[in-house]
Amino acid sequence: REDPDNPGNNLYVTGLSTRVAEKQLLEHLSREGKVLECRIVVDPRTKESRGFGFVTMASTEDAERCINYMNRSTLEGR
């Protein structure tokens, strides 16, 4: 099977530590391209991270670079 192409610039990021803040994730992914928006999903009651989020990159090329080079990278031990 071939790896599927990313059709857009919005990325789903999972496996995040509950200690990771949006600013940290933005800085981490900015190494491979320009990040327009970064949102970590939090529990509405406890405000604790649910371990995943969404990142909007400036272009599909930036998104592809993040997928290729940041996949399985480590941030805050995860």
Side-chain angles (χ1 to χ4, degrees):
R1 290 174 63 185
E2 291 182 31
D3 289 332
D5 288 332
N6 179 31
N9 62 335
N10 192 30
L11 303 177
Y12 169 70
V13 182
T14 190
L16 297 172
S17 166
T18 57
R19 297 183 308 264
V20 172
E22 289 176 352
K23 182 179 177 183
Q24 287 175 288
L25 183 59
L26 184 143
E27 290 171 357
H28 185 69
L29 296 178
S30 290
R31 291 187 269 171
E32 294 303 330
K34 183 177 181 183
V35 177
L36 298 178
E37 184 177 18
C38 179
R39 295 284 175 230
I40 293 178
V41 178
V42 296
D43 183 278
R45 194 169 34 93
T46 65
K47 305 298 183 210
E48 184 175 284
S49 169
R50 305 228 13 231
F52 68 95
F54 298 92
V55 177
T56 303
M57 303 300 293
S59 67
T60 55
E61 292 81 14
D62 288 344
E64 284 297 324
R65 254 192 324 281
C66 274
I67 291 169
N68 291 330
Y69 297 110
M70 304 304 281
N71 188 31
R72 301 202 182 272
S73 63
T74 303
L75 181 62
E76 286 289 325
R78 290 192 69 179

